[in-house]
Amino acid sequence: MRHVRVESTSTGNFLDPAAYLALLPTLAGALPSGARAFATDPDHYDFFGRRCVKDLEPATLQRGEADGESWLRLGFRHNCWKHEEDLSIRYVGVSSLSLDPVDTSDWTSFRAVTLDEILPHEHGCSHEIGFLGGSLTVVGRDLTATWTEAECPNRRPGS
């Protein structure tokens, strides 16, 4: 990632989106509408927020084509101790998908999300997602992020 810092340390991971968040007001106008809405959601980088992407688990990856345009859908499962919803991100006009390490046959082996970064791109936007065990980058015309209520047996009563 160019602006979001994700670094391994001797005591765990150091995560710092501050530089990206400082740039986001100037980048937001150049992002497609769906990417802009997702990136600028106040909970997106709030580590205590219910809709922070940190700690989501990769679950599903679907690809296809509709109306002559490639699409991709990534599904993420909640972490019961933090989230109350699962996240689905649908990308349209996908021009590239890259995984690091490239020899990974199953992206769910990347484990939990650390942080992500959405940037303007000549094809719309690029979305890089960092995980504990790798990263994934999608370039597409736009994306739509949808949160849906999850079944969570550890949820506190009344929450």
Side-chain angles (χ1 to χ4, degrees), residues 47-76:
F47 292 158
F48 302 102
R50 295 284 185 197
R51 288 188 171 178
C52 180
V53 296
K54 183 181 176 307
D55 298 323
L56 289 169
E57 296 282 340
T60 59
L61 186 152
Q62 300 170 312
R63 300 172 90 165
E65 194 168 307
D67 300 323
E69 190 171 65
S70 296
W71 60 266
L72 174 73
R73 181 176 289 126
L74 301 178
F76 298 87

Side-chain angles (χ1 to χ4, degrees), residues 54 67 80-81 85 89 98 110 114 116 125 137 143 148 153 156:
K54 183 181 176 307
D67 300 323
C80 280
W81 303 109
E85 297 171 299
I89 305 174
S98 26
F110 285 172
T114 51
D116 69 333
C125 62
T137 304
L143 64 86
T148 56
R156 298 178 309 271

Side-chain angles (χ1 to χ4, degrees), residues 11-24:
T11 58
N13 290 305
F14 175 75
L15 309 174
D16 184 8
Y20 176 71
L21 291 173
L23 282 174
L24 192 53

Side-chain angles (χ1 to χ4, degrees), residues 8-119:
S8 294
T9 69
S10 60
T11 58
N13 290 305
F14 175 75
L15 309 174
D16 184 8
Y20 176 71
L21 291 173
L23 282 174
L24 192 53
T26 61
L27 298 174
L31 289 171
S33 62
R36 181 175 51 250
F38 185 49
T40 60
D41 181 320
D43 280 346
H44 193 120
Y45 293 97
D46 176 358
F47 292 158
F48 302 102
R50 295 284 185 197
R51 288 188 171 178
C52 180
V53 296
K54 183 181 176 307
D55 298 323
L56 289 169
E57 296 282 340
T60 59
L61 186 152
Q62 300 170 312
R63 300 172 90 165
E65 194 168 307
D67 300 323
E69 190 171 65
S70 296
W71 60 266
L72 174 73
R73 181 176 289 126
L74 301 178
F76 298 87
R77 285 192 37 79
H78 62 286
N79 174 317
C80 280
W81 303 109
K82 179 175 183 175
H83 305 99
E84 295 180 351
E85 297 171 299
D86 292 331
L87 174 64
S88 174
I89 305 174
R90 186 174 192 277
Y91 303 86
V92 293
V94 174
S95 55
S96 71
L97 166 65
S98 26
L99 302 172
D100 183 24
V102 293
D103 60 350
T104 302
S105 61
D106 180 12
W107 80 295
T108 60
S109 68
F110 285 172
R111 302 186 322 266
V113 172
T114 51
L115 283 179
D116 69 333
E117 180 177 274
I118 302 170
L119 297 172

